[in-house]
Amino acid sequence: MPDQQPHFLISVPTYNRSHLLEKLVESARSQNYTSWDILFMDDGSTDDTQEVVQKLQSTTPQTHYRRMEKNSGVNATRNQIIETAKIEFPDSFLYFLDDDDLLYEGSLKNAADLINQNPNYNWYSLNCIYPDGQPISKMKRYGELDY
């Protein structure tokens, strides 16, 4: 059976950091993998976050914007992403990024390969690295824990 092409929902909570979003979207567009969408969940920003995302949608239609009713904090915003994904992107793998993070070259393809190599895992985690390649954190036992 050929490998599946998992779909990723790049899930980004954001608050008043519109100046960072274009670089994040560009890091997704430059991937060597095409089965993805980005969901920006705005935690009640008072800057031009909505307008920036709308502009990005014109060049990257797989960019989506939702807004919290009021500023609720990053944990509530992540929880809302999960609830939204269940309804709007039910077959997607959630790929959480903070709004000041970028996708490393090839990271979506690497994640898809990991999923295809280990289809029975319940969750997956990838290393985070600094631009110089040094690890920020290291998960050595991908998907081995089962809660």
Side-chain angles (χ1 to χ4, degrees), residues 12-18 21 39-47 49-50 53 65-81 99:
V12 185
T14 189
Y15 179 72
N16 284 344
R17 296 178 88 180
S18 64
L21 306 183
L39 174 59
F40 289 104
M41 184 64 68
D42 185 349
D43 190 20
S45 294
T46 58
D47 67 358
T49 294
Q50 183 171 1
V53 174
Y65 175 85
R66 302 293 179 275
R67 183 176 170 88
M68 301 286 286
E69 290 183 23
K70 63 178 184 166
N71 180 260
S72 303
V74 70
N75 289 333
T77 305
R78 284 190 182 107
N79 288 339
Q80 187 58 50
I81 288 171
D99 54 12

Side-chain angles (χ1 to χ4, degrees), residues 15-113:
Y15 179 72
N16 284 344
R17 296 178 88 180
S18 64
H19 62 285
L20 300 172
L21 306 183
E22 185 175 356
K23 284 184 179 182
L24 190 153
V25 170
E26 184 54 40
S27 76
R29 289 177 46 184
S30 67
Q31 294 291 303
N32 60 348
Y33 191 84
T34 59
S35 186
W36 57 267
D37 284 88
I38 297 177
L39 174 59
F40 289 104
M41 184 64 68
D42 185 349
D43 190 20
S45 294
T46 58
D47 67 358
D48 62 343
T49 294
Q50 183 171 1
E51 293 79 12
V52 168
V53 174
Q54 287 172 337
K55 181 181 174 192
L56 291 167
Q57 288 171 320
S58 68
T59 58
T60 310
Q62 60 270 58
T63 302
H64 308 274
Y65 175 85
R66 302 293 179 275
R67 183 176 170 88
M68 301 286 286
E69 290 183 23
K70 63 178 184 166
N71 180 260
S72 303
V74 70
N75 289 333
T77 305
R78 284 190 182 107
N79 288 339
Q80 187 58 50
I81 288 171
I82 293 168
E83 293 305 313
T84 301
K86 286 179 188 178
I87 296 166
E88 297 182 33
F89 303 92
D91 297 322
S92 297
F93 287 89
L94 297 182
Y95 196 120
F96 277 99
L97 287 180
D98 289 333
D99 54 12
D100 62 347
D101 292 339
L102 305 175
L103 289 166
Y104 189 73
E105 183 179 323
S107 63
L108 293 180
K109 174 76 168 79
N110 291 343
D113 291 346

Side-chain angles (χ1 to χ4, degrees), residues 104 129-136:
Y104 189 73
I129 61 171
Y130 290 106
D132 66 1
Q134 294 300 310
I136 294 172

